[in-house]
Amino acid sequence: MDFFHYCYNVFFILIFALTVSVCYRVYGLTDRLLFKYSGELMLLYIIESIYQGSIEIFGTSYIQFTAFLEAGFDFYIQIILTSIEAYVFARLVCSMLDVYKKKVPVITAFTVIVIAGAGYFLPGDSGLMLTSNVYGFIMTGLSAYYFISVKNKKNLETPKPDGEAFGFITGLMAIFGLLVIVENTNYIFHNSTDIDVVLQFYTRLIRWADDIFSVFLSGWLIWYGSYYSDRYMNEKLEMLLSERLMEFSFSEKNIEAKTKPEDTDKKKKLEEFCRLYSLTGRESEIVVFMLEGKSNKEICETLSLSLGTVKVHVHSILTKLSISRRTQLMSCFDRAFS
């Protein structure tokens, strides 16, 4: 039995380790936060797997371990791990929406602590149901937040393939979140499950719904990381080819066409601004549209570029200017000549 649990946890650790390597490789290539947060989440899964495996294998073999469990420290460690996982998971969901709200991850982690605390003080099976279902509540809650945000944000500029991929994994998260709640609740109130009869090695340290979703999530991240890195490289190649074509054609005439003819002072400032921040020819052209308040979609339609290519250019511009939002661009432009 111990050998099975050992192999079980080693399998998950290997899967998570592979996913971590893929996520950080793609993050290093594309600088996309979704892969950074995914890698952090997988690292937390590895820590949790090692911890749970240690309890299962050594929990009854060593007196110190048994005393540790009987003292209730296991509960606090599980809550700490779950709250950190919930915090990172919320950042991951926010990155899918291209919004970076600091309050959402904090509220999510705080919710874990509140639910677990309420379950700790509630007597009997009701309290146990709350504490054991914390992760299920978080999964369903974050998936609901994602779909509500997508519905309310009608001008969401997520490319269709990304939107479909995010919708798939988030929908899967909602389904498995509900399954986690059903599984744990059934086990608590009936003191057994149907799966006990089929699989005699079933224990509460093997949470099937939770574990199966983590495998799905790992597989999805490996697939999406490969897909996104390939797409990013193709867009980067398209951007480089476009840069070479624009290198000789971008001149004062291009800038003058995008600015008011009579405003020569602004034209000179724009040229100086582009030189100051080492903007390329294409970036210089795009920054003019950004200063005019045009969206990525309007820019890509005007310049006949793909939305992904425009977003790469915009991200590069914001990085060179050391700003995080487009709304800061005008103040950065004015500050350069104040």
Side-chain angles (χ1 to χ4, degrees):
M1 194 70 64
D2 287 346
F3 179 73
F4 168 78
H5 291 123
Y6 173 79
C7 293
Y8 185 87
N9 283 283
V10 167
F11 166 76
F12 277 94
I13 290 171
L14 292 175
I15 290 292
F16 297 150
L18 174 62
T19 310
V20 167
S21 66
V22 170
C23 288
Y24 280 111
R25 179 183 64 82
V26 179
Y27 173 65
L29 176 67
T30 65
D31 202 31
R32 188 168 185 182
L33 290 176
L34 181 144
F35 295 104
K36 176 187 176 183
Y37 301 146
S38 298
E40 292 174 353
L41 184 64
M42 292 296 121
L43 283 173
L44 288 169
Y45 281 173
I46 291 174
I47 294 172
E48 185 181 22
S49 295
I50 293 173
Y51 174 71
Q52 290 182 349
S54 300
I55 291 178
E56 182 65 19
I57 296 172
F58 305 114
T60 57
S61 303
Y62 294 91
I63 298 175
Q64 295 88 342
F65 231 129
T66 304
F68 172 83
L69 296 175
E70 291 177 350
F73 289 111
D74 175 57
F75 172 80
Y76 299 110
I77 291 178
Q78 291 284 5
I79 295 307
I80 291 172
L81 281 173
T82 305
S83 60
I84 297 174
E85 286 178 8
Y87 178 84
V88 177
F89 220 139
R91 296 182 76 179
L92 173 59
V93 171
C94 288
S95 68
M96 291 181 182
L97 295 164
D98 282 332
V99 293
Y100 304 101
K101 297 181 179 179
K102 295 181 180 179
K103 291 182 179 180
V104 175
V106 173
I107 291 173
T108 304
F110 182 72
T111 302
V112 170
I113 298 172
V114 170
I115 295 175
Y120 182 79
F121 289 105
L122 280 175
D125 291 340
S126 298
L128 184 60
M129 185 194 73
L130 281 179
T131 55
S132 62
N133 285 325
V134 167
Y135 208 66
F137 294 144
I138 294 303
M139 289 169 66
T140 52
L142 287 176
S143 59
Y145 170 75
Y146 173 83
F147 287 115
I148 291 173
S149 298
V150 169
K151 184 177 180 180
N152 292 338
K153 196 175 181 181
K154 296 181 180 178
N155 61 339
L156 189 67
E157 293 183 345
T158 303
K160 186 177 180 180
D162 287 350
E164 291 176 349
F166 295 159
F168 169 78
I169 195 63
T170 310
L172 210 60
M173 181 171 70
I175 293 171
F176 276 97
L178 293 173
L179 288 176
V180 167
I181 296 172
V182 171
E183 178 189 10
N184 290 332
T185 304
N186 184 48
Y187 192 91
I188 291 168
F189 288 101
H190 295 88
N191 206 22
S192 65
T193 65
D194 295 336
I195 206 168
D196 286 332
V197 179
V198 180
L199 302 175
Q200 297 298 323
F201 49 75
Y202 181 78
T203 72
R204 293 313 300 140
L205 286 176
I206 298 178
R207 299 171 297 183
W208 293 103
D210 192 2
D211 291 347
I212 291 173
F213 172 73
S214 65
V215 172
F216 272 114
L217 179 61
S218 297
W220 180 84
L221 285 170
I222 292 171
W223 167 80
Y224 183 69
S226 176
Y227 159 76
Y228 186 80
S229 60
D230 289 343
R231 193 183 77 189
Y232 178 86
M233 290 305 296
N234 289 334
E235 290 175 350
K236 196 77 173 176
L237 180 61
E238 180 186 341
M239 180 184 69
L240 289 173
L241 291 173
S242 179
E243 289 293 343
R244 291 292 180 267
L245 292 173
M246 288 296 300
E247 200 171 90
F248 301 102
S249 62
F250 186 81
S251 60
E252 291 186 11
K253 183 178 179 180
N254 299 91
I255 298 177
E256 189 173 357
K258 305 302 182 297
T259 55
K260 295 180 179 180
E262 66 275 8
D263 196 356
T264 56
D265 183 54
K266 186 176 180 181
K267 181 192 69 174
K268 291 179 181 179
K269 284 184 177 181
L270 181 59
E271 291 174 326
E272 185 178 346
F273 181 77
C274 294
R275 285 195 300 269
L276 178 64
Y277 288 99
S278 303
L279 300 184
T280 64
R282 179 66 82 181
E283 289 170 353
S284 300
E285 189 176 23
I286 288 176
V287 82
V288 174
F289 290 108
M290 293 173 66
L291 287 168
E292 292 175 356
K294 294 186 181 296
S295 66
N296 288 349
K297 188 175 181 181
E298 291 173 320
I299 295 174
C300 76
E301 289 175 353
T302 304
L303 298 179
S304 299
L305 297 173
S306 68
L307 181 59
T309 300
V310 172
K311 292 182 77 172
V312 170
H313 280 299
V314 171
H315 176 75
S316 177
I317 292 169
L318 298 180
T319 302
K320 288 182 179 180
L321 271 56
S322 299
I323 57 178
S324 58
R325 293 186 298 273
R326 300 166 71 112
T327 53
Q328 298 172 301
L329 178 60
M330 183 57 76
S331 60
C332 180
F333 180 81
D334 294 335
R335 190 166 57 250
F337 302 100
S338 59

